[in-house]
Amino acid sequence: MIPPSASAEALQFSQVEALEILDSRGRPTLQVTVAFANGVTGAAGVPSGASTGSKEAAERRDGDQSRYRGLGVLGAAAAVRGEIADLLRSHRWRDLAEIDAAMIDLDGTPNKTRLGANAIVGVSMACARAIASAEGRELWEWLAPAGVAPQLPVPHFNVINGGVHAPNPLDFQEFMIAPLGASSLPEAVRAGAEVYGALRSLLTRKGHSTGLGDEGGFAPQLSEPEQALELLTTAIGEAGYTAGPQGVAIALDPAASEFRGGDGYYTVAGQKLTSADMIERYAQITRRFPVWLIEDGLAEDDWDGWQALTGRLGDRVQLVGDDIFVTNPAIIADAISRGVGNAALIKVNQIGTVTETLEAMAVCRRGGYAQFVSHRSGETTDTFIADLATGSGCGELKTGAPARGERVAKYNRLLEITAARPELPYGLASGPPPSAHER
Ligand code: PGA
Ligand code: ZN
């Protein structure tokens, strides 16, 4: 699919800059700024994951152990200021698709390893902002594909953290609350914050820690996922909401690639489980708790398991591929043809350009797959994904707890968009799967 084109005037760059800054985990990342000859500028902060899929576009890190334990990004910054800046300043450009394709060519590797996906995605996002601004449009309006109506997404607040995002024994990585039944985006944000507050009180009352994980959710010392779900369902009720699709539903990202061993077994709370056991466990969980969405319920290399899981739960639960699809249009197309999952997680830095991200979303739309726009566990205050989720009309965004500046920045951006354009609809693109209502 062709992303929105720039103005009739060709784009001429005067400046392409990169700065090594810190992300929310205290690790180096890039801030990229571009400027056109007409004075219009655009900037972007690059996110960074911890539970990454093996086929993701590759971040370039310096590996120099004397700085930031090898995690520095001076090489990636130099690639932006050097090779990429030279390319962009070499001639005038028609649109973002042309710029992104040229950066992919210049890199020359399948996974953007040479220049670095962090370098390329930062430039791509900054260019998208600058082009939108040059056209006098809000980023979300500019990102809206032809024929798609923008819509404010249901925010998915990650309020209990486990897995590699927290130092507790909980194997499942993310327990999210999704105000599917809210009447508007501001009411959804309010529900998220009120349930988060109720959960804090409940954890304190029960003697659990209220320390936080990487995405701002609580990280209590629990091991069984059902214990976390029990607490969450109680907190939703104590905050005055109905637990379920008519009020506040629950979404899970077990991030199962992280707890599947080389022997093919999944280890949950010390128990070794087969793929079939996991599917049975999810079937029980969705009967017992108002879980409407499961992301990465099985590992990225367990395609047979994914197919079986989709056959078992796909008609009533949104099954989202993250590590398994890595926002890659070709992998998503393959999954659609094989009936694997029914939705894709969308992370711009996972594929490495805005153009390819929009392509992945278009592949999903054509195949009837939902799209769930996502932050990374390492973030900056950049709010690009709030605009992407709104402009694409996909109806779903996850960007952590309703706490911590880098997470809240995205929710606050949605509130700003709502205030500027109160007529925008709020909610899922096509409503929850039918039988989520009749659990
Ligand atoms: P990551 O985790 O950003 O650490 O990869 C997010 C996710 O798994 O969805
Ligand atoms: Zn995930």
Side-chain angles (χ1 to χ4, degrees), residues 78-362:
V80 173
R81 276 189 225 115
E83 278 191 72
I84 295 176
D86 289 346
L87 169 76
L88 295 190
R89 283 196 304 246
S90 68
H91 63 276
R92 289 165 178 261
W93 302 85
R94 209 173 44 240
D95 56 22
L96 184 64
E98 194 188 19
I99 294 168
D100 284 345
M103 286 197 288
I104 291 168
D105 268 5
L106 177 69
D107 173 76
T109 67
N111 275 337
K112 305 181 174 70
T113 36
R114 196 180 72 78
L115 297 169
N118 41 352
I120 293 171
V121 81
V123 174
S124 182
M125 290 163 70
C127 286
R129 275 218 173 87
I131 297 170
S133 169
E135 292 182 12
R137 296 160 81 193
E138 287 287 328
L139 181 60
W140 62 268
E141 291 178 297
W142 184 83
L143 285 166
V148 169
Q151 178 158 328
L152 291 154
V154 175
H156 284 59
F157 303 97
N158 181 9
V159 293
I160 298 181
N161 294 185
V164 300
H165 293 166
N168 58 4
L170 202 50
D171 299 297
F172 283 19
Q173 180 178 284
E174 300 172 21
F175 295 78
M176 295 170 268
I177 44 173
L180 300 183
S183 58
S184 67
L185 185 277
E187 286 303 298
V189 169
R190 178 182 152 208
E194 288 178 356
V195 173
Y196 185 73
L199 180 61
R200 185 200 304 273
S201 305
L202 178 64
L203 290 170
T204 305
R205 224 166 56 229
K206 301 232 170 213
H208 291 295
S209 150
T210 53
L212 304 182
D214 286 358
E215 297 187 351
F218 301 112
Q221 294 292 311
L222 306 169
S223 49
E224 300 284 355
E226 289 81 358
Q227 294 174 292
L229 286 162
E230 202 73 73
L231 284 165
L232 205 43
T233 311
T234 304
I236 292 168
E238 288 188 355
Y241 294 91
T242 306
Q246 57 285 66
V248 177
I250 295 175
L252 293 177
D253 179 7
S257 303
E258 297 291 333
F259 55 85
R260 189 184 200 216
D263 57 3
Y265 285 94
Y266 294 88
T267 305
V268 178
Q271 247 196 321
K272 280 197 153 197
L273 302 174
T274 63
S275 203
D277 295 336
M278 289 296 291
I279 294 169
E280 188 48 42
R281 184 84 168 252
Y282 292 132
Q284 282 173 20
I285 281 176
T286 54
R287 273 198 297 271
R288 211 174 130 197
F289 301 100
V291 171
W292 92 277
L293 174 156
I294 302 173
E295 174 189 331
D296 280 1
L298 296 173
E300 63 169 80
D301 47 4
D302 188 3
W303 281 67
D304 291 344
W306 264 93
Q307 229 165 11
L309 174 68
T310 310
R312 179 80 185 271
L313 295 179
D315 63 335
R316 60 195 180 90
V317 180
Q318 189 173 107
L319 300 169
V320 185
D322 173 11
D323 289 355
I324 184 172
F325 299 164
V326 293
T327 317
N328 184 311
I331 299 177
I332 295 170
D334 186 23
I336 292 172
S337 73
R338 290 158 68 174
V340 165
N342 55 26
L345 203 73
I346 301 293
K347 292 167 164 170
V348 185
N349 82 323
Q350 205 172 31
I351 185 71
T353 62
V354 173
T355 302
E356 290 165 291
T357 304
L358 295 174
E359 231 171 77
M361 297 183 89

